[in-house]
Amino acid sequence: MILPQTIDVDYLWLSLSSSPDLDTSMMGNSIELSEDNGSRFCGKTIPEEIVIHIFLYVPVKDLIRSATHVCKYWHHLLTQYHFWFTRMQVEGYKLSETTKQRLLEETNETLVLRALQSVCGNYLHLNKNLILNPSGIDGFQHWMVRHGGDKMIVEDTPTGSDLIPEEAGLPTQHCFVTSYIASSRCQVVNLEHLGLDPCVIDILRPEIHISEWVSARWDCHSKSTIAVLLKGADDTQQVDITWNSRTDDVICRQWYKATAD
C-alpha cells in the first residue's frame, strides 16, 4: 500500500513575470514620476528611517504597483536591495549566507529585485506540494498509471493498515493501493509552466525535498520506489528512494515517511 511521492518545496522561488501584480516597468527609465518630495507630509519632513518603517508594513502588491510611482524619492527607496532584505525578515523568510551573497554579486539588478519582491510578496511556491492529486482523492486524475496484478486502486480509508497520520498533512485518508504485482504512477511537473524564471533558479538554486508516506498491510509485505528526474537545460539528475517492509525493520500496518538523504 503506497501513497504518492510528495515534493515539499522549501525554497522554490518564482519570478513575478506571470503575475498580474508585477509591474516590471518600474525598474526602467521611461516611468514618469512626480517631482513632489515624498519625504514631506503637512509641511513636515519625515526622516527616511520612518518612511522605510512604514513601507515595511504596506502590502507588497501596493508597494510594487502604486507606491513606487508616487515620486522619485519613494521609487529610490523601494528599488534598494536593503529594503527588500529587511522586508524579508519582517515576513519571516530567511536566506542562507551563500544565497544572499549570490544575489549581491549578480549584475542583473532587475532580476535580483524581481526575485526579492517575489519572495516578499508570497508569489512563490514555498513549502508547497507540487504534485497534483497526491493521495488519489480525485482518482487517477493528473497521473499516468501502469497497472499490474489486480490493478492499482484508490481507497478512501486504508484497508489492512493504520490510518494515515496527521503528520502526512493530507486532508483525507485516501491512498493509492497496489496488488501482488508492481504498478506505477507518473506525473510531470513543469516548473516553467508554474511561472518559474530559469534565471531565478540559477541565482537561488532552490532546495527540493522529496518524500513518500508508505505502509504495508498486516498480512503482507510491501515495497515502494520513488524515481525523480530533475531535467535542466543541459543535464538531468535522478533521485531514487526505495522502501521495503522486509528489509527496513518496519512494523506492518504502520505508516512511514520515506525520504531522500
Side-chain angles (χ1 to χ4, degrees):
M1 179 178 299
I2 60 174
L3 280 174
Q5 61 268 31
T6 59
I7 301 180
D8 303 317
V9 182
D10 289 330
Y11 299 100
L12 194 55
W13 294 353
L14 310 185
S15 73
L16 285 175
S17 58
S18 63
S19 170
D21 292 331
L22 177 67
D23 186 356
T24 54
S25 64
M26 60 176 268
M27 274 76 83
N29 297 321
S30 60
I31 293 181
E32 295 182 2
L33 299 171
S34 171
E35 294 295 332
D36 295 336
N37 190 337
S39 66
R40 297 187 62 81
F41 181 74
C42 295
K44 304 293 183 180
T45 300
I46 305 175
E48 180 176 304
E49 294 80 3
I50 301 299
V51 177
I52 292 176
H53 183 78
I54 294 173
F55 283 161
L56 289 176
Y57 297 95
V58 174
V60 172
K61 177 176 66 175
D62 295 331
L63 293 178
I64 295 174
R65 301 183 66 180
S66 302
T68 188
H69 300 293
V70 170
C71 63
K72 290 182 178 179
Y73 176 61
W74 285 16
H75 180 269
H76 171 75
L77 294 180
L78 295 174
T79 53
Q80 298 301 305
Y81 292 174
H82 176 72
F83 170 79
W84 292 104
F85 280 128
T86 304
R87 180 63 187 251
M88 288 182 64
Q89 295 177 350
V90 172
E91 299 292 342
Y93 295 111
K94 294 182 180 180
L95 288 179
S96 67
E97 288 301 319
T98 301
T99 301
K100 186 175 181 178
Q101 189 61 34
R102 281 200 299 271
L103 288 169
L104 293 175
E105 293 176 353
E106 173 59 43
T107 57
N108 188 333
E109 297 181 359
T110 299
L111 175 62
V112 174
L113 187 61
R114 187 166 72 245
L116 293 175
Q117 292 173 340
S118 300
V119 176
C120 294
N122 195 28
Y123 292 100
L124 312 181
H125 291 266
L126 299 174
N127 300 314
K128 181 178 180 180
N129 187 359
L130 297 184
I131 293 294
L132 300 176
N133 186 28
S135 60
I137 189 173
D138 296 318
F140 293 111
Q141 185 177 355
H142 303 299
W143 291 99
M144 294 174 282
V145 181
R146 178 178 295 176
H147 294 286
D150 291 333
K151 296 185 177 182
M152 182 183 299
I153 64 172
V154 176
E155 293 182 343
D156 55 10
T157 302
T159 300
S161 68
D162 297 337
L163 294 178
I164 304 171
E166 293 184 3
E167 183 185 351
L170 297 171
T172 69
Q173 287 289 316
H174 287 77
C175 60
F176 293 101
V177 182
T178 59
S179 60
Y180 53 91
I181 295 180
S183 299
S184 65
R185 290 168 289 110
C186 177
Q187 188 172 141
V188 176
V189 178
N190 190 314
L191 300 181
E192 286 195 82
H193 290 174
L194 294 176
L196 185 58
D197 188 334
C199 296
V200 173
I201 296 180
D202 290 339
I203 296 177
L204 300 174
R205 301 176 189 177
E207 296 179 355
I208 299 178
H209 296 260
I210 306 166
S211 65
E212 177 183 37
W213 282 89
V214 293
S215 178
R217 288 170 56 99
W218 65 272
D219 57 352
C220 62
H221 285 281
S222 178
K223 181 179 180 180
S224 174
T225 299
I226 309 174
V228 179
L229 293 177
L230 305 175
K231 294 187 176 182
D234 301 319
D235 63 348
T236 298
Q237 299 182 29
Q238 180 167 337
V239 177
D240 294 315
I241 305 174
T242 299
W243 179 88
N244 192 326
S245 63
R246 291 183 182 275
T247 59
D248 291 344
D249 192 27
V250 304
I251 301 174
C252 290
R253 298 186 61 96
Q254 292 186 9
W255 288 87
Y256 296 85
K257 185 177 184 180
T259 61
D261 296 331

